Amino acid sequence: MTSPSEAFSGGTAVITGAAAGIGAGLARHAALVLGMRVVIADIDEQALEQTCAELTEDGGKATTALVDVREAAAVEGLADRVAEEFGPVRLLVNNAGLEQFGYLWDTPVANWERLVAVNINGVFHGIRAFLPRMLRQSDPAWVLNLSSVGAVTAVPMQAPYIMSKHAVLALTECLHQEVALAGAAHIHVGAVLPGAVVSRIFDTAGGVEGGDLRAAEEAREAMFRVRERAIGADEAAETILRQAAEKEFYIVTQPETVFGVMRERAAQLTVRSAPALPRGSRFTADAGR
Ligand SMILES: NC(=O)c1ccc[n+]([C@@H]2O[C@H](COP(=O)([O-])OP(=O)(O)OC[C@H]3O[C@@H](n4cnc5c(N)ncnc54)[C@H](O)[C@@H]3O)[C@@H](O)[C@H]2O)c1
């Protein structure tokens, strides 16, 4: 079994959405524990500079890249710059992502389009920009895409987000097959399905401007309560990079919870029952628990 140090030490990591949350945790672990050079890409310039300063002050090798993953050309520019400055990429993490709360029919079109552009197009842009060079290199490489436990279930009031995470999981499963089909045994593709991890994703999430505002904000508050039981980003990062080194495809931060949700999904599809409301929803018998 390969240890994270054997897999990653001395290599270059490129992580999108790395100025905060899980991405920043991955950057910290990669730079400070595994001794990687990390290229942290994000749209938030201030948070990016702060995260980079923290990493370098602690002795890590970190470089910032102000990149909007919605822009294919910007992500291609990032890939060119990294190749020129640092050579082959050992670890690419397509991590940038957004949340959205509210009834699907109340969702502003702009919020829908932004979420699709970041959560789905952003991952595709990362693959298009980095995979061709990775395929040509002989050094081992890892590509991790941030999906979610939400990719193996349905969650009301978060339909755009859940849809996008199903999409990222499907895209990553196909990518895994395509890399095998291309004979690129040196590339490992993994789908990351975190459970709740402390981050600012629910604070910055979109809401609604018309319709049932209260229901949308109640959904956000429910996720704030979920966050009270979340694990920290550093713990998540350690788990993700350990499972990646071991070449797991389904990389999970809270195995008990995520495997439980996977089993429920498999059982639901087997008997073809319609998706039920989650436990604790306001219209289920155990409401409020
Ligand atoms: N936190 C959780 O509980 C959780 C659970 C499952 C999956 N995830 C996934 O993990 C990933 C990271 O989420 P997080 O919780 O750390 O969120 P976060 O909001 O704390 O961090 C996301 C980062 O992405 C950046 N970003 C947003 N739009 C961008 C763009 N267009 N281009 C570049 N960067 C952009 C933000 O500036 C931010 O720094 C997401 O894909 C999310 O869906 C998170």
Side-chain angles (χ1 to χ4, degrees):
M1 209 172 275
T2 315
S3 74
S5 302
E6 285 165 334
F8 299 121
S9 284
T12 295
V14 179
I15 305 168
T16 67
I22 296 175
L26 286 167
R28 260 194 308 277
H29 194 76
L32 304 179
V33 179
L34 301 178
M36 302 187 83
R37 160 165 293 283
V38 294
V39 179
I40 55 174
D42 207 286
I43 199 178
D44 182 337
E45 190 168 10
Q46 207 185 341
L48 200 52
E49 292 308 329
Q50 196 186 325
T51 303
C52 186
E54 285 166 9
L55 289 176
T56 48
E57 272 163 29
D58 288 343
K61 289 186 194 149
T63 307
T64 60
L66 189 60
V67 172
D68 184 341
V69 298
R70 292 173 292 185
E71 304 293 335
V75 184
E76 277 165 28
L78 172 67
D80 291 343
R81 180 185 152 199
V82 172
E84 210 169 285
E85 290 182 26
F86 308 118
V89 170
R90 180 85 54 89
L91 171 68
L92 168 68
V93 190
N94 291 304
N95 166 76
L98 307 172
E99 252 281 19
Q100 168 67 32
F101 294 114
Y103 282 112
L104 187 55
W105 51 84
D106 289 340
T107 303
V109 172
N111 289 20
W112 169 272
E113 289 181 348
R114 188 179 58 214
L115 185 141
V116 169
V118 177
N119 293 17
I120 303 179
N121 300 1
V123 176
F124 168 60
H125 294 155
I127 304 301
R128 250 189 75 80
F130 285 90
L131 258 286
R133 277 195 190 86
M134 282 181 170
L135 287 161
R136 287 196 301 271
Q137 76 191 36
S138 52
D139 314 38
W142 277 255
V143 179
L144 306 183
N145 295 333
L146 263 289
S147 180
S148 167
V149 60
V152 288
T153 188
V155 183
M157 311 306 286
Q158 299 182 42
Y161 178 78
I162 296 296
M163 174 276 302
S164 75
K165 294 296 154 180
H166 278 248
V168 171
L169 179 58
L171 175 155
T172 310
E173 289 176 336
C174 297
L175 180 68
H176 190 270
Q177 292 175 317
E178 290 184 16
V179 163
L181 195 62
H186 64 291
I187 301 180
H188 177 70
V189 174
V192 185
L193 280 67
V197 178
V198 175
S199 82
R200 59 182 200 187
I201 196 164
F202 306 131
D203 307 271
T204 58
V208 303
E209 288 147 14
D212 198 336
L213 275 74
R214 192 164 150 240
E217 289 317 306
E218 277 175 6
R220 188 194 301 271
E221 280 155 25
M223 292 313 288
F224 285 149
R225 288 194 292 280
V226 168
R227 189 168 63 187
E228 288 167 15
R229 304 189 300 273
I231 62 169
D234 290 325
E235 182 184 346
E238 191 273 329
T239 306
I240 291 168
L241 294 176
R242 179 168 35 77
Q243 292 178 21
E246 289 166 3
K247 308 234 170 118
E248 293 288 346
F249 176 78
Y250 294 101
I251 295 174
V252 299
T253 55
Q254 289 107 317
E256 252 178 57
T257 311
V258 181
F259 293 158
V261 177
M262 285 176 168
R263 277 192 295 274
E264 281 174 25
R265 177 68 164 177
Q268 185 222 330
L269 292 176
T270 304
V271 299
R272 297 180 299 284
S273 57
L277 283 173
R279 282 184 291 275
S281 297
R282 55 184 164 150
F283 299 118
T284 52
D286 61 349
R289 262 179 238 167

